[in-house]
């Protein structure tokens, strides 16, 4: 049973690959740059580009299940997965597909729903790994986090827990047609999250709350466009209820409770 993983070196994908290898699965990874892809020993890396479905035809051969990403988590990464990959996957004989859904469903998910393959949609909330993108540098260099909306709640999820749900859906029966909304086990404000990081790392980390205008200026300086900045503001002012509502899905699917933020920090101590 060969399982094809797209985004195999990404935030979630690398955990999916590791967990599948640990369970003895045969794993094939797609990469635009196969020679540079860092994957566990025994993983087959093949060239392919999700923006160009025809480049995946060979990679899809002999595969029984596939994990699909829609967007890239690389800095400045551009990815618009072509929905034709669903047609090609079905033609290649793939039986089961998991999809890491972005902010909302699109044409790939629509095509998958209409296909004859088993499918599972993974819909996580905010990744704990976003902390590294947003706060790592200022924590390491200054011992400070500067953010607006300090009391905005989020039920952040460990990326390895998203992977555990994906692996269960790829390897086990009973997940066809499921849309799994995934969260961590606690809803924490930004100030509480910083306090936990400080306690676990043993570093003195201050939270400095920015005004909305200061935050907008900071995001502009970081290169974000006005549409993205407006989205950040609305998510901080009026976060959607699903973003801070703790759900038991991870434990229900995998049999193990989701990791806490303190657990995640312990897994990433070297990053701080």
């Amino acid at each position: 049973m060969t399982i094809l993983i797209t985004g195999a070196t990404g935030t979630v994908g690398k955990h999916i690959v590791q967990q599948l290898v640990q369970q003895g699965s045969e794993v094939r990874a797609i990469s635009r740059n196969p020679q540079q892809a860092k994957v566990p020993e025994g993983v087959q890396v093949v060239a392919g580009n999700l923006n160009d479905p025809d480049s995946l035809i060979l990679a899809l051969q002999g595969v029984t299940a596939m994990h699909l990403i829609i967007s890239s988590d690389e800095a400045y990464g551009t990815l618009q997965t072509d929905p034709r990959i669903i047609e090609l996957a079905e033609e290649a004989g793939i039986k089961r597909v998991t999809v890491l859904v972005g902010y909302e469903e699109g044409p790939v998910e629509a095509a998958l729903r209409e296909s004859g393959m088993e499918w599972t949609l993974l819909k996580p909330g905010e990744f704990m790994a976003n902390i590294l993108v947003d706060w790592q540098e200022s924590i390491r260099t200054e011992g400070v986090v500067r953010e607006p909306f300090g009391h905005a709640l989020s039920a952040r999820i460990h990326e390895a827990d998203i992977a555990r749900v994906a692996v269960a859906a790829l390897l086990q029966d009973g997940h066809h047609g499921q849309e799994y909304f995934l969260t961590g086990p606690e809803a924490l404000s930004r100030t509480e999250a910083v306090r936990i990081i400080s306690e676990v790392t043993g570093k003195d980390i201050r939270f400095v709350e920015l005004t909305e205008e200061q935050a907008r200026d900071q995001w502009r300086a970081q290169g974000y466009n006005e549409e993205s900045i407006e989205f950040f503001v609305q998510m901080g002012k009026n976060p959607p209820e699903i973003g801070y509502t703790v759900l038991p899905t991870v434990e229900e699917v995998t049999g193990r409770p989701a990791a806490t933020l303190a657990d995640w920090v312990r897994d990433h101590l070297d990053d701080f």
Side-chain angles (χ1 to χ4, degrees), residues 61-125:
Q61 303 308 306
V63 170
T64 54
M66 174 175 67
H67 174 72
L68 190 59
I69 61 170
I70 303 301
S71 58
S72 172
D73 61 10
E74 296 178 1
Y76 310 109
T78 56
L79 174 61
Q80 188 174 4
T81 300
D82 193 308
R84 186 164 171 264
I85 190 175
I86 301 301
E87 176 187 343
L88 294 175
E90 192 165 16
E91 290 176 354
I94 291 177
K95 304 298 183 186
R96 185 174 291 172
V97 180
T98 59
V99 178
L100 185 61
V101 179
Y103 184 67
E104 58 185 12
E105 290 187 34
V108 172
E109 292 88 345
L112 187 58
R113 289 176 180 275
E114 295 299 319
S115 76
M117 296 182 290
E118 294 184 22
W119 55 266
T120 307
L121 303 183
L122 310 176
K123 299 183 174 182

Side-chain angles (χ1 to χ4, degrees), residues 176-247:
H176 172 50
Q178 296 296 319
E179 300 175 53
Y180 288 136
F181 292 89
L182 307 174
T183 75
E186 53 197 351
L188 299 171
S189 69
R190 294 172 180 177
T191 55
E192 290 171 327
V194 171
R195 175 183 56 78
I196 290 171
I197 296 169
S198 178
E199 290 175 353
V200 176
T201 61
K203 294 172 66 78
D204 182 17
I205 305 171
R206 294 181 299 116
F207 183 86
V208 176
E209 185 155 3
L210 303 178
T211 66
E212 180 182 327
E213 194 52 45
Q214 287 173 326
R216 287 178 180 271
D217 289 342
Q218 177 174 279
W219 289 322
R220 290 188 188 105
Q222 292 170 345
Y224 291 104
N225 61 35
E226 292 302 315
E227 183 179 357
S228 296
I229 291 171
E230 192 59 36
F231 175 78
F232 297 156
V233 170
Q234 293 308 314
M235 287 299 100
K237 280 184 171 180
N238 302 295
E241 186 174 352
I242 189 66
Y244 56 82
T245 301
V246 174
L247 300 173

